[in-house]
Amino acid sequence: MTPEEAKKKIISLTKQLNDYNYYYYVLNQPKISDFDFDMKLKELEKLENEFPQFRLPESPTQRVGGEPTKDFKTVRHSIPMLSLSNSYSKEDLYEFTNRIKKTIGFEPEYVTELKFDGLSISLSYSNGIFFQAVTRGDGEKGDDVTNNVKTIKSIPLKLRGNYPETLEIRGEIYMPHKVFERLNKEKEEIGETPFANPRNAAAGSLKLQDPNEVADRGLEAFFYYIPIKIEGINTHYELLQNAKKWGFRVSNHMALCKNINEIFEFIDDWDKERYNLPFDIDGIVIKVNDLKIQEQLGYTAKFPRWAIAYKFKAERVETKLLSIDYQVGRTGAVTPVANLKPVQLAGSTVKRASLHNADIIAQLDVRIGDTVYVEKGGEIIPKIVGVNLNKRPKDALQVKFIKNCPECGTPLVRKEGESAWYCPNEEGCPPQIKGKLEHFISRKAMNINSLGEGKIEMLYDNNLVSNIADLYDLTFDMLIGLEKIISSTEGKKSKKISFREKTTQNILNGIEQSKSVPFPRVLYAIGIRYVGETVAKKLAYHYKNIDTLMNATYDELINVDEIGDKIAQSIVEYFSKKEHINIINRLKAKGIQFSIETDIKKTKTSDKLKDLQFVVSGVFKNYSRDEIKNIIEDNGGKIVSSISSRTNYIIAGNNMGPVKKEKADRLGIPIISEEELAKMISLR
Ligand code: IVH
């Protein structure tokens, strides 16, 4: 392809893909399948790598790829980010509208909107191109989170249509319920404390250092305020409709209200309907529509006088606490769960509620037989928030947190500074054993999908497996003919699982295939507490193999990027147990991957690059920049930071700067990819 043709194609693909995104995210009208979208994105990515000089700033390939940020830069807002005054009752709203009526002499039109429960963000655009995203911070100054916000696919990198030359727009970043549930499930699986609610999860995600990880968090955004004047636009409603045309995601759930009764109608509808939304709202925002009237009403030191937030009361009901169950998870953590007299709350029947831990039970002084208050606020799982002491029966039983594991009887232990009690009988406690096996075979770990929860239970019940290494000792004869009837539960029929020839072979094949699962996932699969997918990846690439990791001291571990005290302690503790070393040795003997083996590293030390000078630029697919540098040095090459006539090669990833590219072209220095570097090492 000639450069001219490539340029044309890059421009057209960028526009097409951005259009598809707009239809999908803003208008909710998908125009193309995910597969076709990905194919086009790949095509664009390939062309941009070949002709980086034609890559456009609004290219969809530029959403992820920014460098990790250690500390976010503090930025002053050009226009302060004010908050809203809150109201909790309809009387407060009467006061608000009456005050306005008195100031301007008549009843103005209002816009009512949902009050999204997330984090406010301010985006800036210049000539239609997105250039900065800043958090609210203290209202005067916030954190520059541009690279992280870029990963939110519904946020336009380039505006559409007839947009103003400069634009600042404000909105809310939030985490949808589905994503929140998935994230917390993953956290629980690795023994981390789950996020309390979607807002906290969104806040934590937006402040992650690596944009690649933020991209995985599925954040979303709605926009609701433009703090600048735009010629020809006279109302807030028109502003938002225009914002939609420019490419922003604006909620359709808003209304124009002529009087307070229409405002109340909107509030009452959404107080009920809010439970059917796929995200959290915590109230309704009421704004004067006319921008001139807004200006006339002005601001107090903290709030606009033309808007107010009406906060919903968290829905709360009373019911009786019947008993408390204790559940033991994969990590041995014991969670108390309240059994309640069934009660209707926020559109569903609630029978169980979270009690979190022993401290919360003591704090609430909740007793069996008590009438308790149950609330469904931002959180998905209802929780007990208090006790109606007036209704306490004389014989209400004080709750004594159990001292022994409900599953295996072992005395529970509690670590200093932690609120959860644990069953320490890792090797003998059934839910811990089964939980660890289930985690090991799960999709993101060893991905043995021919096994599942039911089959694991059968293997365990038949004394065929009691740890992850046992899976690799299973034989055809051990499995064939195993049977189990799963009795019917609510709404589900009873089911018989039996291992016939095909099932047995599938299971054994799945186990065999898992031997090629790469080291980072194996490290995640073995289930060290606090070592989730990302941490496992970091550790695997840092230590390269399990033996080096096993021998790492606490002090060494804590010096690895993003490894903190809790993780370091947990790793040291894990490898100090001979049972674990035994399991790892057995897995090793069966051929499980316990080191990073890639083409590029097989020839790890050589002098194939002797006397050659390299400049490394951009973001790479398979390695971090430091890893590329190490590989070059391990093979005798020299790294230099700037291009000169003595430079032999430039290793370029995504995002190589245009200045470097221009200089390399001028001096005739070849620009090669990480794959080409790999070839140089193994083929020369
Ligand atoms: S308008 C100057 N509209 O609520 C007025 N805010 O408690 C700017 N929020 O800081 C805000 N949904 O983070 C506005 N539809 C909405 C909103 C909204 C959520 C948040 C925003 C604000 C906070 C005030």
Side-chain angles (χ1 to χ4, degrees):
M1 194 181 279
T2 66
E4 255 324 293
E5 283 165 351
K7 187 176 177 184
K8 258 199 188 147
K9 188 82 191 158
I10 287 177
I11 294 174
S12 123
L13 278 171
T14 305
K15 167 133 191 6
Q16 268 182 48
L17 287 163
N18 282 341
D19 277 354
Y20 291 139
N21 255 347
Y22 174 71
Y23 275 93
Y24 183 85
Y25 288 105
V26 180
L27 303 183
N28 244 331
Q29 298 164 8
K31 285 263 178 236
I32 181 175
S33 73
D34 287 357
F35 177 79
D36 290 341
F37 186 93
D38 286 345
M39 293 322 277
K40 280 186 190 283
L41 188 65
K42 283 222 170 77
E43 190 185 347
L44 175 62
E45 210 164 15
K46 193 162 162 268
L47 278 173
E48 285 178 348
N49 280 339
E50 249 174 85
F51 300 93
Q53 69 272 36
F54 302 137
R55 181 185 291 127
L56 296 164
E58 71 269 25
S59 165
T61 62
Q62 299 307 290
R63 290 201 180 267
V64 194
E67 288 285 296
T69 322
K70 259 243 158 343
D71 298 302
F72 296 99
K73 199 170 69 190
T74 308
V75 179
R76 180 169 288 280
H77 295 293
S78 51
I79 305 160
M81 277 183 90
L82 298 184
S83 164
L84 294 171
S85 99
N86 284 328
S87 62
Y88 296 90
S89 66
K90 294 196 172 165
E91 285 72 53
D92 290 347
L93 290 186
Y94 269 116
E95 229 174 79
F96 168 75
T97 50
N98 283 339
R99 203 168 352 102
I100 289 176
K101 233 189 286 179
K102 216 167 128 193
T103 315
I104 64 168
F106 61 95
E107 176 118 273
E109 186 177 50
Y110 293 98
V111 180
T112 44
E113 296 167 15
L114 304 183
K115 185 171 186 306
F116 308 101
D117 196 9
L119 302 121
S120 36
I121 193 84
S122 187
L123 306 186
S124 305
Y125 288 78
S126 175
N127 292 317
I129 301 291
F130 168 65
F131 73 91
Q132 197 171 50
V134 185
T135 62
R136 179 166 185 274
D138 61 5
E140 297 287 334
K141 289 182 259 85
D143 287 336
D144 181 335
V145 287
T146 308
N147 281 343
N148 285 352
V149 166
K150 254 190 188 173
T151 67
I152 303 175
K153 294 203 188 82
S154 63
I155 288 183
L157 298 180
K158 182 175 192 237
L159 301 183
R160 311 168 61 85
N162 194 11
Y163 50 78
E165 206 174 289
T166 54
L167 177 68
E168 206 161 314
I169 187 161
R170 290 173 180 175
E172 202 85 352
I173 290 183
Y174 68 90
M175 185 177 280
H177 289 153
K178 256 204 189 130
V179 183
F180 172 72
E181 278 159 27
R182 186 199 71 199
L183 180 65
N184 263 0
K185 197 162 159 260
E186 283 169 14
K187 274 190 159 289
E188 268 166 17
E189 267 173 22
I190 57 159
E192 276 185 13
T193 317
F195 285 115
N197 53 50
R199 181 165 26 83
N200 289 6
S205 303
L206 199 61
K207 291 292 177 68
L208 285 169
Q209 291 174 351
D210 186 350
N212 283 292
E213 275 181 53
V214 185
D216 273 351
R217 291 285 176 98
L219 294 176
E220 266 307 345
F222 275 121
F223 290 86
Y224 47 63
Y225 179 52
I226 295 178
I228 51 171
K229 278 192 188 149
I230 293 173
E231 218 176 275
I233 301 185
N234 303 316
T235 65
H236 172 71
Y237 190 82
E238 274 174 75
L239 263 181
L240 293 190
Q241 296 317 314
N242 274 286
K244 206 186 257 186
K245 288 190 194 141
W246 299 330
F248 294 102
R249 202 159 162 259
V250 173
S251 170
N252 288 330
H253 301 313
M254 60 166 94
L256 286 167
C257 299
K258 285 192 206 62
N259 52 50
I260 191 132
N261 288 334
E262 290 185 9
I263 295 176
F264 287 162
E265 233 172 82
F266 189 85
I267 289 176
D268 293 340
D269 281 352
W270 281 105
D271 200 358
K272 286 186 229 99
E273 258 317 293
R274 64 182 153 137
Y275 300 108
N276 296 323
L277 286 168
F279 49 82
D280 279 348
I281 61 170
D282 59 343
I284 296 296
V285 180
I286 300 117
K287 299 173 183 169
V288 168
N289 192 21
D290 191 300
L291 299 176
K292 281 222 176 71
I293 304 178
Q294 283 191 5
E295 208 179 320
Q296 190 185 345
L297 292 164
Y299 298 83
T300 70
K302 284 205 300 225
F303 311 122
R305 288 201 185 87
W306 47 264
I308 194 164
Y310 174 88
K311 298 275 275 220
F312 289 133
K313 283 179 215 59
E315 196 175 336
R316 169 188 284 210
V317 285
E318 277 189 12
T319 190
K320 202 165 166 175
L321 172 63
L322 305 174
S323 62
I324 293 178
D325 283 344
Y326 295 88
Q327 289 176 346
V328 185
R330 165 170 77 86
T331 57
V334 177
T335 325
V337 180
N339 290 313
L340 306 168
K341 186 170 167 224
V343 62
Q344 278 297 115
L345 172 67
S348 57
T349 312
V350 174
K351 292 184 212 150
R352 286 157 79 76
S354 161
L355 267 167
H356 297 291
N357 55 47
D359 293 346
I360 304 259
I361 295 181
Q363 247 171 46
L364 293 170
D365 182 28
V366 58
R367 303 184 188 185
I368 309 291
D370 263 342
T371 295
V372 291
Y373 299 119
V374 185
E375 218 174 64
K376 207 171 185 178
E379 302 78 10
I380 311 292
I381 306 157
K383 58 178 184 186
I384 294 183
V385 292
V387 176
N388 184 344
L389 291 176
N390 297 328
K391 294 194 181 166
R392 171 165 284 173
K394 285 205 178 61
D395 58 351
L397 275 183
Q398 215 160 10
V399 179
K400 289 210 176 75
F401 202 88
I402 49 169
K403 294 256 178 290
N404 292 75
C405 174
E407 301 280 344
C408 70
T410 307
L412 300 180
V413 293
R414 172 135 99 161
K415 279 199 194 133
E416 214 186 286
E418 288 196 16
S419 44
W421 284 90
Y422 283 89
C423 165
N425 182 19
E426 242 190 281
E427 272 76 38
C429 181
Q432 292 191 60
I433 297 172
K434 283 186 272 182
K436 283 191 176 70
L437 285 160
E438 279 158 19
H439 168 75
F440 185 76
I441 62 160
S442 64
R443 192 173 55 85
K444 288 185 172 173
M446 303 304 272
N447 193 22
I448 310 180
N449 54 18
S450 49
L451 283 172
E453 219 175 287
K455 290 185 183 132
I456 287 288
E457 183 139 347
M458 279 170 76
L459 298 178
Y460 175 75
D461 290 348
N462 284 285
N463 292 323
L464 295 176
V465 292
S466 63
N467 62 52
I468 52 178
D470 290 344
L471 288 171
Y472 295 88
D473 289 337
L474 292 172
T475 62
F476 189 89
D477 291 343
M478 285 158 92
L479 299 177
I480 191 91
L482 283 186
E483 257 186 17
K484 182 172 182 169
I485 304 209
I486 298 172
S487 52
S488 58
T489 44
E490 275 172 51
K492 283 187 190 161
K493 284 193 192 146
S494 63
K495 205 167 85 180
K496 187 163 122 182
I497 307 185
S498 54
F499 290 179
R500 292 183 217 285
E501 203 173 317
K502 197 164 160 231
T503 315
T504 306
Q505 206 47 60
N506 273 346
I507 295 176
L508 292 173
N509 290 347
I511 294 175
E512 190 56 33
Q513 274 163 18
S514 73
K515 292 181 182 170
S516 60
V517 166
F519 178 43
R521 271 170 53 198
V522 174
L523 190 56
Y524 167 65
I526 60 176
I528 306 173
R529 216 170 144 214
Y530 303 126
V531 177
E533 251 187 302
T534 318
V535 171
K537 230 187 249 170
K538 285 251 148 70
L539 289 167
Y541 282 113
H542 186 91
Y543 286 100
K544 315 284 191 284
N545 61 57
I546 194 98
D547 298 298
T548 333
L549 173 64
M550 241 164 9
N551 292 324
T553 62
Y554 171 87
D555 289 338
E556 282 162 11
L557 283 162
I558 202 141
N559 275 320
V560 178
D561 201 23
E562 283 184 43
I563 305 298
D565 167 66
K566 229 166 55 172
I567 302 174
Q569 255 187 44
S570 164
I571 295 168
V572 171
E573 197 182 308
Y574 181 90
F575 289 117
S576 70
K577 291 199 177 142
K578 65 174 188 314
E579 297 85 1
H580 292 153
I581 305 294
N582 186 18
I583 286 177
I584 285 166
N585 285 338
R586 283 177 60 201
L587 291 172
K588 255 189 199 169
K590 293 285 180 187
I592 310 301
Q593 306 291 316
F594 276 111
S595 62
I596 301 264
E597 281 279 2
T598 60
D599 287 342
I600 213 164
K601 293 219 168 107
K602 270 185 192 149
T603 53
K604 205 176 157 236
T605 49
S606 76
D607 55 5
K608 284 180 178 164
L609 307 179
K610 197 164 167 265
D611 299 330
L612 296 177
Q613 276 196 9
F614 293 81
V615 168
V616 181
S617 174
V619 180
F620 297 89
K621 276 200 301 287
N622 303 318
Y623 304 95
S624 72
R625 201 172 331 176
D626 281 344
E627 277 167 347
I628 296 268
K629 287 182 180 170
N630 284 341
I631 291 162
I632 292 173
E633 282 172 349
D634 286 347
N635 287 281
K638 192 174 169 209
I639 305 289
V640 289
S641 55
S642 58
I643 301 172
S644 74
S645 56
R646 274 171 302 158
T647 310
N648 297 93
Y649 291 99
I650 294 156
I651 317 288
N654 274 334
N655 273 359
M656 177 182 171
V659 179
K660 273 200 176 121
K661 160 90 182 124
E662 192 270 324
K663 195 163 177 191
D665 285 346
R666 191 158 30 88
L667 295 172
I669 301 165
I671 302 177
I672 64 169
S673 65
E674 57 192 301
E675 287 84 8
E676 284 167 304
L677 172 70
K679 269 194 207 144
M680 274 173 85
I681 298 167
S682 46
L683 295 183
R684 260 170 35 136

